[in-house]
């Protein structure tokens, strides 16, 4: 997008064209007051501001600064020499101060790709933008500083930020797995999910620790790579969710929307599309607590992003695609009362009620969840006598080794983890001997598994083999993977 300013004779006034929204239309009043209060002469002539391209709707306050600079340059109060090579964005206050805007990192990355030499932004956005390599970034607090830069650029140096160093210095300070007593089966499932990027659901009665376990998954995930951190930060920047004005989101996202969430809040939407929870979970975790309390039609929105790794939001004038490669983690009770299969409290639900309860979750959605794990409540003596479990750091080291093994196998191919493998990858990296094939065929017949569910079993088995350091799949790898189809065995 660009801003063109023309100052001509006629009655004084400002006209903004190029499909501006209300915030952009109001920019002319903010800019007029800001320039006067900053000590600049505002041209008392007819000013036409053209926002290009003309057929794309413009929104937000980011145009304040380029409009201001355009007027100053057109009235010859600042030099226009650098305007062709630099991109300007930022909101202008009435006294000429510059305020931060959303989406600066994504804009900076796009500017670098198309060959823009430098970026001028509010000081609060400077570190965020300076992460992009090959782009000179200047941050200013007042419009007068921008004008001085244009007139005497040699006096200023671009901000330098070593994003890789900042990412290396960051450390995760989340919940530790050592706080979980017992639950060896569930802990093992968490480790497999982290090592292979597999979707996971915990099924168990209230008080069994489902949520406690799920919230400790981020602590055993491998740290974000620099490229992944850039992707995550760009999404949060567009959404205006960067908590501080630093450069990178260094921890993997963990999003936990309430079960009353709507479909658009999950996938994104709005008149001007914004990322939803699944995109904000990109490269991290989307945790849906009490899964069966979500509306069925809302859950169905998850099917396509889980398969494709992105979501496309189409509107009349534009179509926007957001990345959505996340790990889905969910928890639910096994029945309406919550105690079906519990060893401590009997279930009071009738079979028809349990059937209707599970009918809220469609078969295609459950097929996309690799690990379906039953979690039982601990007995009183286990609560008081059970020692603390293994800490997250130790588990994370094993997860990292397994991920490195998978990455070496993939080399330059598309998958980043085992959960992203396609059918051709399974044929190449998951060959089965006769005993293993017979075991899998028996499980398919007994549990009535679909082809998609069978592929999920092979992906989980591949991760189990990676954790064990085995090159080839063996029968016990597949047997363990089949055990993580709890819901298939319940129905």
């Amino acid at each position: 997008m660009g801003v063109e300013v023309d100052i001509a004779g006629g009655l004084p006034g400002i006209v903004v064209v190029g499909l501006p929204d209300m915030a952009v239309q109001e920019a002319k009043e903010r800019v007029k007051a800001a320039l006067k209060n900053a000590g600049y002469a505002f041209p008392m002539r007819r000013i036409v501001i053209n926002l290009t391209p003309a057929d794309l709707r413009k929104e937000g306050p980011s145009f304040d600064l380029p409009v201001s600079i355009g007027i100053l340059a057109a009235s010859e109060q600042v030099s226009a020499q650098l305007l062709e090579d630099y991109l300007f964005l930022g909101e202008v206050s009435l006294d000429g101060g510059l305020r931060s805007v959303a989406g600066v990192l994504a804009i900076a990355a796009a500017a670098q790709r198309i060959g823009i030499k430098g970026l001028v932004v509010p000081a609060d956005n400077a570190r965020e933008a300076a992460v992009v390599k090959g782009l000179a970034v200047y941050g200013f607090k007042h419009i007068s500083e921008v004008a001085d830069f244009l007139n005497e650029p040699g006096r200023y140096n671009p901000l330098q930020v070593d994003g890789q160093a900042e990412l290396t210095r960051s450390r995760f300070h989340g919940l530790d797995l050592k706080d979980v007593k017992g639950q060896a089966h569930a802990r093992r499932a968490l480790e497999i999910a982290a090592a292979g990027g597999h979707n996971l659901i915990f099924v168990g009665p209230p008080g069994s620790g489902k949520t406690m376990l799920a919230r400790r998954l981020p602590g055993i995930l491998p740290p974000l790579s620099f490229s992944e951190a850039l992707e995550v930060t760009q999404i949060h920047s567009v959404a205006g969710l960067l908590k501080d004005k630093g450069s990178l989101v260094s921890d993997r996202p963990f999003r936990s929307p309430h079960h009353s969430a709507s479909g658009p809040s999950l996938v994104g939407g709005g008149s001007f599309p914004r990322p939803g929870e699944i995109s904000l979970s990109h490269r991290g975790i989307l945790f849906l607590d009490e899964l069966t309390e979500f509306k069925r039609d809302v859950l169905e929105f998850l099917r396509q992003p889980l398969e494709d790794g992105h979501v496309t939001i189409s509107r009349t004038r534009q179509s926007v695609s957001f990345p959505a490669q996340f790990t889905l983690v969910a928890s639910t009770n096994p029945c309406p009362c919550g105690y079906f299969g519990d060893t401590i409290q009997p279930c009071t639900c009738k079979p028809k009620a349990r059937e209707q309860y599970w009918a809220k979750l469609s078969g295609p959605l459950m097929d996309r969840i690799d690990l379906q794990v039953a979690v039982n409540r601990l007995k009183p003596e286990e609560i008081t006598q059970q020692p603390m479990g293994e800490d997250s750091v130790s588990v994370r080291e094993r997860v990292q080794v397994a991920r490195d093994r998978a990455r070496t196998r993939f080399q330059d191919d598309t998958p980043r983890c085992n959960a992203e493998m396609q059918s051709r990858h399974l044929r190449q990296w998951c060959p089965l001997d006769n005993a293993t094939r017979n075991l899998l065929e028996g499980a398919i017949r007994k549990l009535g598994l679909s082809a998609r569910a069978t592929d999920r079993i092979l992906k989980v088995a591949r991760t189990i083999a990676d954790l064990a350091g085995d090159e080839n799949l063996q029968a016990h790898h597949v047997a363990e993977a089949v055990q993580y189809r709890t819901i298939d065995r319940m129905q």
Side-chain angles (χ1 to χ4, degrees):
M1 294 185 186
V3 176
E4 298 174 342
V5 177
D6 178 69
I7 300 178
L11 292 176
I14 306 176
V15 178
V16 182
V17 297
L19 293 180
D21 73 347
M22 185 57 67
V24 180
Q25 283 282 10
E26 293 173 346
K28 58 188 179 183
E29 301 300 332
R30 289 193 298 273
V31 167
K32 184 176 181 179
L35 292 180
K36 286 185 175 180
N37 292 331
Y40 296 98
F42 191 84
M44 298 305 293
R45 302 168 68 186
R46 179 176 174 81
I47 302 174
V48 177
I49 300 169
N50 180 37
L51 309 178
T52 61
D55 60 344
L56 185 63
R57 189 164 180 81
K58 320 303 186 303
E59 63 165 330
S62 299
F63 290 90
D64 288 10
L65 181 58
V67 167
S68 302
I69 297 303
I71 292 175
L72 290 177
S75 59
E76 299 182 348
Q77 298 182 70
V78 299
S79 171
Q81 183 178 357
L82 299 181
L83 299 188
E84 290 291 334
D85 298 324
Y86 283 77
L87 182 67
F88 300 77
L89 69 153
E91 180 180 350
V92 176
S93 64
L94 297 184
D95 63 355
L98 301 184
R99 293 173 176 167
S100 62
V101 292
V104 169
L105 179 58
I107 295 172
Q112 191 274 335
R113 286 196 299 271
I114 63 176
I116 296 294
K117 181 179 178 181
L119 186 66
V120 176
V121 297
D124 287 341
N125 289 127
R127 291 189 64 82
E128 175 188 343
V131 172
V132 178
K133 298 178 181 178
L135 186 70
V137 175
Y138 298 85
F140 299 109
K141 295 183 178 181
H142 197 272
I143 195 170
S144 60
E145 297 176 2
V146 180
D148 291 341
F149 165 73
L150 291 173
N151 290 327
E152 298 182 76
R155 293 174 50 197
Y156 297 88
N157 296 317
L159 178 65
Q160 301 291 333
V161 172
D162 189 344
Q164 184 67 63
E166 291 197 6
L167 190 63
T168 303
R169 286 195 298 269
S170 68
R171 292 292 183 269
F172 179 78
H173 300 290
L175 301 174
D176 201 310
L177 202 56
K178 70 179 181 182
D179 299 329
V180 179
K181 290 187 175 183
Q183 305 293 11
H185 186 56
R187 291 172 61 98
R188 171 67 171 170
L190 280 177
E191 184 173 341
I192 294 171
H198 301 290
N199 300 321
L200 167 68
I201 183 172
F202 287 126
V203 183
S208 58
K210 304 185 296 294
T211 302
M212 181 182 185
L213 285 159
R215 291 189 177 278
R216 279 154 177 77
L217 179 56
I220 62 174
L221 288 173
L224 287 170
S225 67
F226 182 67
S227 61
E228 289 175 333
L230 276 177
E231 294 174 10
V232 173
T233 306
Q234 286 186 51
I235 297 170
H236 283 70
S237 176
V238 169
L241 294 180
L242 290 182
K243 294 182 180 179
D244 54 27
K245 302 304 177 182
S247 53
L248 286 175
V249 174
S250 56
D251 295 331
R252 291 189 181 272
F254 184 92
R255 305 290 298 183
S256 181
H258 191 261
H259 59 74
S260 61
S262 65
S265 72
L266 281 183
V267 301
S271 301
F272 304 102
R274 287 288 184 268
E277 293 292 340
I278 61 174
S279 294
L280 294 172
S281 306
H282 182 63
R283 302 298 179 197
I285 306 296
L286 176 65
F287 177 47
L288 302 183
D289 201 5
E290 302 299 339
L291 185 66
T292 49
E293 298 299 323
F294 285 79
K295 295 180 182 179
R296 177 173 175 136
D297 60 333
V298 171
L299 294 178
E300 292 304 296
F301 280 109
L302 297 174
R303 286 168 53 179
Q304 181 262 335
L306 283 172
E307 200 71 26
D308 298 341
H310 68 271
V311 59
T312 301
I313 303 170
S314 298
R315 294 293 180 263
T316 304
R317 291 184 176 274
Q318 60 180 321
S319 179
V320 180
S321 183
F322 294 116
Q325 290 184 319
F326 60 94
T327 298
L328 174 64
V329 179
S331 70
T332 186
N333 295 332
C335 65
C337 78
Y339 296 102
F340 179 68
D342 187 35
T343 58
I344 300 176
Q345 185 169 334
C347 173
T348 59
C349 301
K350 296 181 179 180
K352 184 65 174 178
R354 289 197 295 269
E355 181 180 342
Q356 293 175 344
Y357 182 78
W358 282 106
K360 297 178 182 179
L361 307 178
S362 69
L365 176 63
M366 298 312 298
D367 276 353
R368 289 169 167 82
I369 300 181
D370 308 4
L371 302 165
Q372 305 167 3
V373 183
V375 182
N376 298 316
R377 287 195 291 174
L378 296 178
K379 297 178 181 179
E381 58 272 20
E382 292 176 317
I383 296 176
T384 58
Q385 300 175 17
Q386 189 75 254
M388 290 293 183
E390 187 178 18
D391 63 84
S392 293
V393 173
S394 301
V395 178
R396 190 179 192 178
E397 290 175 355
R398 292 198 298 271
V399 167
Q400 185 65 66
V401 171
R403 288 250 185 167
D404 290 342
R405 184 173 289 113
R407 190 175 297 109
T408 300
R409 182 170 59 247
F410 299 145
Q411 294 181 355
D412 296 330
D413 212 330
T414 304
R416 291 174 179 249
C417 57
N418 289 331
E420 297 178 12
M421 289 192 296
Q422 304 298 321
S423 297
R424 62 185 179 88
H425 303 129
L426 295 178
R427 291 192 297 271
Q428 181 178 357
W429 294 317
C430 300
L432 305 177
D433 57 30
N434 290 333
T436 306
R437 183 178 294 104
N438 291 337
L439 186 153
L440 181 58
E441 291 173 355
I444 294 172
R445 284 192 292 267
K446 183 176 181 180
L447 301 178
L449 299 175
S450 67
R452 181 184 288 113
T454 303
D455 285 350
R456 300 281 175 174
I457 288 176
L458 290 175
K459 294 176 185 179
V460 172
R462 180 66 265 172
T463 300
I464 294 171
D466 288 340
L467 284 168
D470 295 331
E471 185 63 29
N472 298 316
L473 288 189
Q474 300 175 24
H476 65 89
H477 300 143
V478 175
E480 182 179 356
V482 170
Q483 292 302 306
Y484 295 113
R485 305 300 301 186
T486 296
I487 295 176
D488 293 323
R489 300 201 305 270
M490 290 173 60
Q491 296 178 347

